[in-house]
Amino acid sequence: MKNYFDFSTRQTTYKQEFIGGLTTFLSMAYILVVNPIVLGESGMDKGAVFTATAITIILGSLLIGILSNYPIGIAPSMGLNSFFTYSVVIGMGIPWQTALTGVFVAGILFVILSVLKVREKIINVIPQDLKYAIAGGIGFFVAFIGLKNAKIIVGNEATFVSLGDFTSGPTVLALFGFIITSIMLVRGIRGGIFYGMVISSIVGMIFGIIDKPTAIIGNIPSLEPTFGVVFSELPNVFTPDLIIVIFTFLFVGFFDTAGTLIAVASQAGILKDNKIPNAGPALLSDASATVIGSVLGTSPTASLIESTAGIAAGARTGFSSIVISGFFFLALFFSPLLSVVTSEITAPALIIVGAMMVAEVRHIDWTKLDIAIPAFTTIIMMPLTFSVATGIALGFIMYPVTMLALGRHKEVHPIMYVLFVTFIAYFIYL
């Protein structure tokens, strides 16, 4: 097992991988609660979505761990599930069965692009400075999500954002978790992020901020209401509206996963010669998970940026992905315990992981404006648009512009020009 996952080269141990996988699981566990709620508003059966979500995470994480040796958890994207429900089903009036079939078609296209290595080729031609910008931008984005989930930062009509209520129990608990986790990490305690979550959960239950679980073991809901509906709806997906929907699933899913892979490879120290090792199998795993999830009954999947919490806790290989799968399998039976893992418990981990990832921007050559402007655009637009894919797209639009302005158009890979045109067309017809 150690040889297969290359423990010696990546300088890791079973304990390190276990704690890393457990930390990622805890950071992702909220998805089992949130995804059924979001998709339930589209008319889907919440119980079936719960089971479909768990099984999709189990299979997707196993695939990426075994095939590509990456410490990543694959799960339904929290952005795409909202798009599925509020834009496609509610906004456009498309039945959830037909929308789910659109996810299936997008997944099949993903698999084809992955097998042909189109996705891998695109990721590998991204300039090194932009890869650092993507990793740093995701860091700011993840930290912003953590601050928002903890209600440390809240919306404000006058100033857009402002400080939250520091007398609120959940916010105080999140601040406590942030401080205690920071102290442990500064003192060099491996797994400090995980221990911080455990301590915060206990403190939260003691002071009544978090409800104690009402039970330990629960029944597994049936998949019958959603399983296989995509096959009967296939003739209904070839309409102009559905084609736009499928393209959106493709676009956002493609660059969400690309961003996560770049960030994870960079943070774990396995990015080599500006290329991501085993990117092909990783992308194929992600694409396959989308197909599996759509058949079971859930929205498009993505390689989750929450995986960086596990990497910060020590995960370095695909063995931690197997650990993630194992815990989600157990979660099928112990679902009531997931109520303890609230947003204020996971928020400190996201803030700290963001701080770690932002360090990648130090490698960017800020003295050259032709690099600095596209890099800054990529970084700043991720949190401000609340989208990794949008930040990447805007940065990729600016990169050819600045290079052309200097007459260095020959240094830009042709694929970057194709992406330039594609992104502009996407924003025009979005």
Side-chain angles (χ1 to χ4, degrees):
M1 189 75 74
K2 287 183 177 179
N3 290 335
Y4 182 84
F5 289 106
D6 203 13
F7 274 30
S8 59
T9 302
R10 299 195 183 181
Q11 299 179 339
T12 189
T13 63
Y14 282 118
K15 179 182 177 182
Q16 209 171 298
E17 295 299 303
F18 180 83
I19 291 177
L22 179 54
T23 301
T24 298
F25 163 73
L26 289 172
S27 297
M28 293 171 57
Y30 72 94
I31 292 171
L32 288 179
V33 178
V34 176
N35 200 44
I37 292 173
V38 174
L39 295 186
E41 293 192 26
S42 72
M44 297 180 70
D45 183 89
K46 292 181 181 179
V49 173
F50 170 84
T51 304
T53 300
I55 296 175
T56 300
I57 295 172
I58 291 166
L59 297 178
S61 300
L62 277 176
L63 283 173
I64 200 167
I66 294 172
L67 297 181
S68 67
N69 199 19
Y70 270 90
I72 289 176
I74 291 179
S77 165
M78 288 298 99
L80 287 175
N81 63 357
S82 297
F83 174 76
F84 179 99
T85 294
Y86 302 113
S87 296
V88 179
V89 178
I90 297 176
M92 301 172 69
I94 296 172
W96 67 262
Q97 296 90 338
T98 307
L100 198 62
T101 308
V103 174
F104 176 75
V105 173
I108 295 295
L109 293 174
F110 262 142
V111 170
I112 294 171
L113 291 173
S114 300
V115 171
L116 296 176
K117 297 188 175 181
V118 174
R119 298 176 76 191
E120 183 177 0
K121 179 67 175 177
I122 291 174
I123 291 174
N124 285 334
V125 302
I126 297 172
Q128 183 70 58
D129 287 285
L130 287 186
K131 282 181 176 167
Y132 290 134
I134 291 169
I138 289 176
F140 282 109
F141 180 53
V142 167
F144 184 62
I145 291 174
L147 292 167
K148 174 180 173 292
N149 288 349
K151 292 184 173 59
I152 295 173
I153 296 295
V154 297
N156 184 298
E157 290 186 4
T159 60
F160 298 110
V161 293
S162 62
L163 282 177
D165 180 7
F166 281 19
T167 63
S168 167
T171 302
V172 172
L173 180 61
L175 287 169
F176 168 78
F178 177 70
I179 293 170
I180 197 72
T181 303
S182 298
I183 291 172
M184 286 190 285
L185 290 175
V186 168
R187 292 187 61 83
I189 298 175
R190 299 299 293 265
I193 291 177
F194 166 64
Y195 300 138
M197 288 182 180
V198 173
I199 294 171
S200 297
S201 297
I202 294 172
V203 170
M205 286 187 285
I206 290 174
F207 287 93
I209 299 172
I210 298 174
D211 293 331
K212 296 176 183 178
T214 55
I216 296 177
I217 299 176
N219 295 323
I220 301 176
S222 172
L223 278 173
E224 185 178 357
T226 59
F227 182 78
V229 299
V230 297
F231 300 115
S232 60
E233 288 289 320
L234 275 173
N236 300 323
V237 299
F238 301 104
T239 65
D241 282 348
L242 257 296
I243 290 173
I244 293 173
V245 168
I246 291 169
F247 177 77
T248 302
F249 285 147
L250 277 171
F251 172 81
V252 178
F254 186 110
F255 286 98
D256 269 352
T257 295
T260 300
L261 280 180
I262 291 169
V264 166
S266 179
Q267 186 182 358
I270 53 180
L271 195 66
K272 297 178 181 178
D273 301 323
N274 195 33
K275 293 184 178 180
I276 301 175
N278 295 327
L283 294 167
L284 181 59
S285 300
D286 176 68
S288 300
T290 292
V291 176
I292 293 169
S294 64
V295 173
L296 294 175
T298 187
S299 49
T301 62
S303 298
L304 288 200
I305 199 60
E306 283 87 349
S307 305
T308 53
I311 293 172
R316 291 294 179 272
T317 74
F319 186 80
S320 71
S321 295
I322 295 176
V323 174
I324 294 168
S325 296
F327 276 110
F328 272 102
F329 175 75
L330 292 176
L332 278 168
F333 303 94
F334 295 91
S335 56
L337 290 176
L338 293 174
S339 62
V340 175
V341 187
T342 60
S343 58
E344 52 267 24
I345 297 301
T346 59
L350 296 180
I351 298 168
I352 290 170
V353 167
M356 293 175 175
M357 294 179 66
V358 167
E360 294 299 317
V361 303
R362 72 187 186 277
H363 300 299
I364 299 171
D365 190 350
W366 294 105
T367 62
K368 296 180 179 178
L369 286 179
D370 53 307
I371 295 296
I373 292 174
F376 179 75
T377 302
T378 301
I379 292 167
I380 196 66
M381 294 309 290
M382 285 188 190
L384 292 186
T385 63
F386 217 73
S387 169
V388 170
T390 300
I392 292 174
L394 293 171
F396 282 18
I397 288 173
M398 287 305 302
Y399 178 71
V401 171
T402 57
M403 295 298 281
L404 284 167
L406 288 178
R408 296 170 58 187
H409 56 280
K410 292 184 180 179
E411 298 178 31
V412 180
H413 196 283
I415 288 178
M416 295 299 292
Y417 287 118
V418 173
L419 292 176
F420 170 81
V421 174
T422 302
F423 291 147
I424 289 177
Y426 174 78
F427 286 122
I428 290 173
Y429 295 104
L430 180 64

